[in-house]
Amino acid sequence: QVQAIESGGGLMQAGESLRLSCILSGRAFSRYTVGWFRQAPGKEREFLAAISGSGEATDYMGSVRGRFTISRDNAKNTVYLEIAKLTPEDTGTYYCASRVSFNSRDRRTSTFRGWGQGTQVTVSS
């Protein structure tokens, strides 16, 4: 079982950039697709981006494409999410989780496992 620990959140100003980190425990890290998700206050958790085990394939929710960048360092068991030009709408708790398969046609949160506690991002205008 691969378990995630997220970090890197904080109180930010609109227009700034931020890099979140997701460290996953467990063996065979490079076998797993990792996804980033966000839960805004009063809303359901939503998919943001995913990256395949090798890092060769990525998938983004349409509204964040071009402003969010997902990457991974398999030597460090870490996946990153860089967010450029933060807006107040980016406020929320950011989570990562993993699954074996990479499938851009299936972004359901229920297919991911090993959720962390999340890291809070608050963006002020």
Side-chain angles (χ1 to χ4, degrees):
Q1 178 68 36
V2 176
Q3 187 66 40
I5 300 175
E6 305 91 343
S7 64
L11 179 61
M12 309 294 293
Q13 295 289 324
E16 292 182 326
S17 297
L18 182 68
R19 188 176 79 163
L20 305 178
S21 298
C22 169
I23 297 177
L24 288 94
S25 64
R27 296 185 291 181
F29 171 74
S30 62
R31 291 180 54 194
Y32 292 89
T33 287
V34 177
W36 277 100
F37 302 79
R38 177 177 64 204
Q39 188 162 17
K43 295 187 177 181
E44 293 187 353
R45 194 170 301 186
E46 63 177 348
F47 171 88
L48 296 174
I51 188 167
S52 65
S54 66
E56 293 179 352
T58 57
D59 179 35
Y60 293 93
M61 181 174 69
S63 62
V64 306
R65 188 183 303 275
R67 197 166 60 86
F68 285 33
T69 303
I70 190 170
S71 62
R72 68 191 294 158
D73 184 342
N74 284 348
K76 296 181 178 180
N77 278 28
T78 302
V79 174
Y80 304 99
L81 184 69
E82 296 183 71
I83 309 172
K85 300 178 181 178
L86 285 159
T87 74
E89 288 69 36
D90 293 322
T91 293
T93 304
Y94 286 70
Y95 300 88
C96 62
S98 64
R99 68 185 185 192
V100 174
S101 65
F102 178 85
N103 185 354
S104 61
R105 292 174 294 181
D106 185 358
R107 299 170 172 173
R108 292 174 295 165
T109 58
S110 61
T111 65
F112 288 81
R113 297 288 183 268
W115 296 89
Q117 295 298 307
T119 186
Q120 176 67 36
V121 175
T122 303
V123 184
S124 62
S125 58

